[in-house]
Amino acid sequence: MISITVQENDFDSGGEINRLSALGGGAISSFVGQVRGDEQLQALELEHYPAMTENALQKIADKASQQWVMHGITIIHRVGRLQVGEQIVLVCTCSDHRQAAIAACSYIMDQLKTVAPFWKKEIFQDGTENWVKERQSDLDAAKSW
Amino acid sequence: MISITVQENDFDSGGEINRLSALGGGAISSFVGQVRGDEQLQALELEHYPAMTENALQKIADKASQQWVMHGITIIHRVGRLQVGEQIVLVCTCSDHRQAAIAACSYIMDQLKTVAPFWKKEIFQDGTENWVKERQSDLDAAKSW
Amino acid sequence: MTAIMSHQLKIVYFAWVRERLGRDQDNIDCPENVETVGQLLEFIRSEDVAYEDVFADIEKLRFALDQDFVGLDAAIDTAKELAIFPPVTGG
Amino acid sequence: MTAIMSHQLKIVYFAWVRERLGRDQDNIDCPENVETVGQLLEFIRSEDVAYEDVFADIEKLRFALDQDFVGLDAAIDTAKELAIFPPVTGG
């Protein structure tokens, strides 16, 4: 059961975990990314490529399902303007075994960072803006699998 | 901020994630283990060593805090009789970086499986009982760090 | 009939590529002799100097053809949509 | 005064060790010549045959002295509580 959602609204991480728990796998791993209040950051503007995004996330989830035996995968990624402290992304995986659930969750986050068509613009308290640059550590992490 | 709880009652994974999110780290990883409905299993009886348990969990969390820069760690482990599908354990970690959060969460689960004084008895639908045996794969996982 | 063969291609822009160009898409007639993404970039730069600045450092750009990541040497063939954007930074 | 020196030690049992012994703890007088966990096991086996069966396969047992995991060669010293149990299986 793969569920992919791109939305402006916030999400309920506990509700999503419970939904995957209900599949009875026994091991549920999740990751939540939120807007970190670095320096004078006020908000992030999350842009995406609507025609491509869900398909790109689906492909990542499919690859995870091929690599590990999964009961379910949920990916929720928000777009639009997100204030410091707000949630950005949720990845939740359910498997019979904890190593599979945790590895799949980590794999999905690493791939998402490098192949899902999202872009972050930082908006600072003084009104200046900055498009976030790709990080070599993210590229390395994605290649490590 | 390390929070360790051993309790009979169920827990709210989403509430715990949100509590760590409020620390502002940006990356929150969590793992939930639940009673998997294997074969004719009806319930698990979770026994522990009250005088030792919280201290053992605290030591694991302390070691994780030394290895990775963490904002917070929450460990909740239930004891008593747990029906199939019920939650057993929650580990939730918050860091500035996803790799640290995920690695710490995985590390804590691996250590918990081998050094926290809990014992599981399987209770089957026909009334038979079986104390769960340790698994070599758990010992190997704990040593891999 | 000696009409020059061409096909309609939609180009979509994201993030700072979109901002610097001041628009989020173009619709162009892609001439038949433009076969790859790289050749298409050369073609549109020759058509409009506004692209010069944005496309100056091609290393900083990424491309998707009909919603699949491609490199500069990818054949455009019958694709309907080319996306041009900086490296992704979601998650 | 020629009293034999000894100290009170509480022994607690968990899981199938507790079930097979039919009780969750014992309070014993630990003689002075019993210095290690291993020696203590020998001593209590000699005192009560009920332990024979449960402690037969010592490889299957784990020990904690005052709530810290220890091996058979650990010195009991002034410890107040010894726990005897099978390998842990939580999580």
Side-chain angles (χ1 to χ4, degrees):
Chain A
M1 206 198 70
I2 294 174
S3 166
I4 309 287
T5 315
V6 179
Q7 64 187 33
E8 292 195 5
N9 294 339
D10 198 11
F11 52 78
D12 167 21
S13 58
E16 299 300 333
I17 288 173
N18 292 344
R19 199 170 314 193
L20 286 197
S21 298
L23 302 176
I28 302 100
S29 177
S30 75
F31 178 84
V32 172
Q34 59 175 171
V35 184
R36 198 172 57 212
D38 289 345
E39 298 152 26
Q40 302 297 305
L41 189 71
Q42 182 172 74
L44 289 182
E45 187 79 37
L46 260 292
E47 180 172 336
H48 76 128
Y49 180 4
M52 179 175 174
T53 316
E54 294 196 11
N55 194 32
L57 295 175
Q58 181 75 40
K59 276 186 204 165
I60 296 170
D62 287 343
K63 278 191 193 165
S65 296
Q66 286 157 19
Q67 240 172 308
W68 297 279
V69 180
M70 308 299 296
H71 289 285
I73 296 172
T74 299
I75 305 175
I76 302 177
H77 204 297
R78 293 177 69 193
V79 292
R81 196 182 180 96
L82 303 175
Q83 305 295 318
V84 165
E86 284 198 74
Q87 302 187 111
I88 304 169
V89 61
L90 169 75
V91 173
C92 192
T93 56
C94 177
S95 170
D96 275 358
H97 305 291
R98 74 180 183 287
Q99 284 97 343
I102 292 171
C105 186
S106 180
Y107 168 86
I108 291 168
M109 276 305 302
D110 283 348
Q111 301 307 312
L112 189 156
K113 287 257 176 189
T114 57
V115 304
F118 294 98
W119 299 272
K120 283 189 191 123
K121 184 162 69 172
E122 297 170 320
I123 297 159
F124 295 97
Q125 284 159 18
D126 63 5
T128 57
E129 300 181 344
N130 174 54
W131 286 98
V132 173
K133 285 178 187 59
E134 75 178 340
R135 290 166 44 191
Q136 189 58 43
S137 62
D138 286 334
L139 297 174
D140 294 343
K143 273 186 202 144
S144 71
W145 293 93
Chain B
M1 204 198 69
I2 294 174
S3 166
I4 309 288
T5 315
V6 178
Q7 63 186 34
E8 293 195 4
N9 294 339
D10 198 11
F11 51 78
D12 167 20
S13 57
E16 299 302 332
I17 288 173
N18 292 344
R19 199 171 314 192
L20 285 197
S21 298
L23 302 175
I28 303 100
S29 177
S30 76
F31 178 83
V32 172
Q34 59 174 171
V35 184
R36 198 173 57 212
D38 288 345
E39 298 152 27
Q40 302 298 306
L41 189 72
Q42 182 172 75
L44 288 182
E45 187 79 37
L46 260 291
E47 181 171 336
H48 76 129
Y49 180 5
M52 179 175 176
T53 317
E54 294 195 11
N55 194 33
L57 295 175
Q58 181 74 42
K59 277 186 202 163
I60 297 171
D62 288 343
K63 279 190 193 164
S65 297
Q66 286 158 19
Q67 239 171 308
W68 296 278
V69 180
M70 307 300 296
H71 289 284
I73 295 172
T74 299
I75 304 176
I76 303 176
H77 203 298
R78 293 176 69 193
V79 292
R81 195 183 180 96
L82 303 175
Q83 304 297 317
V84 165
E86 284 199 75
Q87 303 187 112
I88 305 168
V89 61
L90 170 75
V91 173
C92 192
T93 56
C94 177
S95 171
D96 276 357
H97 304 290
R98 76 180 184 288
Q99 283 97 343
I102 292 172
C105 186
S106 180
Y107 168 86
I108 291 168
M109 276 305 303
D110 283 348
Q111 301 308 312
L112 189 157
K113 287 257 175 188
T114 57
V115 304
F118 294 99
W119 299 273
K120 284 188 189 123
K121 184 162 70 172
E122 296 170 320
I123 297 158
F124 296 97
Q125 284 158 19
D126 64 4
T128 57
E129 300 181 343
N130 175 53
W131 286 99
V132 173
K133 286 178 187 61
E134 75 177 338
R135 290 165 45 190
Q136 189 57 43
S137 61
D138 286 334
L139 297 174
D140 294 343
K143 272 184 203 147
S144 72
W145 293 92
Chain C
M1 297 284 283
T2 57
I4 295 168
M5 297 290 284
S6 71
H7 92 277
Q8 278 281 319
L9 186 72
K10 183 176 171 183
I11 312 183
V12 292
Y13 311 111
F14 294 97
W16 58 255
V17 177
R18 174 182 54 72
E19 283 188 347
R20 288 204 211 159
L21 286 174
R23 57 186 184 276
D24 60 11
Q25 58 177 279
D26 281 312
N27 285 285
I28 65 153
D29 284 312
C30 183
E32 205 181 32
N33 64 336
V34 168
E35 291 178 353
T36 67
V37 170
Q39 287 166 7
L40 181 76
L41 287 189
E42 288 308 310
F43 171 71
I44 59 178
R45 281 168 74 163
S46 70
E47 296 278 298
D48 185 343
V49 291
Y51 291 104
E52 277 298 336
D53 168 49
V54 179
F55 295 171
D57 192 354
I58 216 160
E59 294 284 305
K60 288 186 180 162
L61 298 176
R62 298 293 179 271
F63 311 96
L65 210 49
D66 284 351
Q67 294 89 48
D68 270 322
F69 280 99
V70 294
L72 286 169
D73 57 352
I76 291 173
D77 202 17
T78 59
K80 292 193 168 59
E81 187 169 286
L82 173 70
I84 304 177
F85 46 73
V88 302
T89 56
Chain D
M1 298 282 284
T2 56
I4 295 168
M5 296 291 284
S6 71
H7 92 276
Q8 278 282 317
L9 186 70
K10 182 177 173 183
I11 312 182
V12 292
Y13 311 110
F14 294 98
W16 59 255
V17 177
R18 173 183 54 71
E19 283 189 347
R20 288 203 211 160
L21 286 174
R23 57 186 185 274
D24 61 10
Q25 59 177 276
D26 281 314
N27 286 285
I28 66 155
D29 285 312
C30 183
E32 206 180 32
N33 64 335
V34 168
E35 292 179 352
T36 67
V37 171
Q39 288 166 8
L40 180 75
L41 287 189
E42 287 308 311
F43 171 71
I44 59 178
R45 281 169 74 163
S46 71
E47 296 279 297
D48 184 342
V49 290
Y51 291 104
E52 277 298 337
D53 167 49
V54 179
F55 294 171
D57 192 355
I58 215 160
E59 294 284 305
K60 289 186 178 163
L61 297 176
R62 299 293 179 271
F63 312 96
L65 210 50
D66 283 351
Q67 296 87 48
D68 269 323
F69 280 99
V70 295
L72 286 168
D73 56 351
I76 291 174
D77 203 18
T78 60
K80 292 193 168 59
E81 186 169 285
L82 172 70
I84 305 177
F85 45 73
V88 302
T89 56

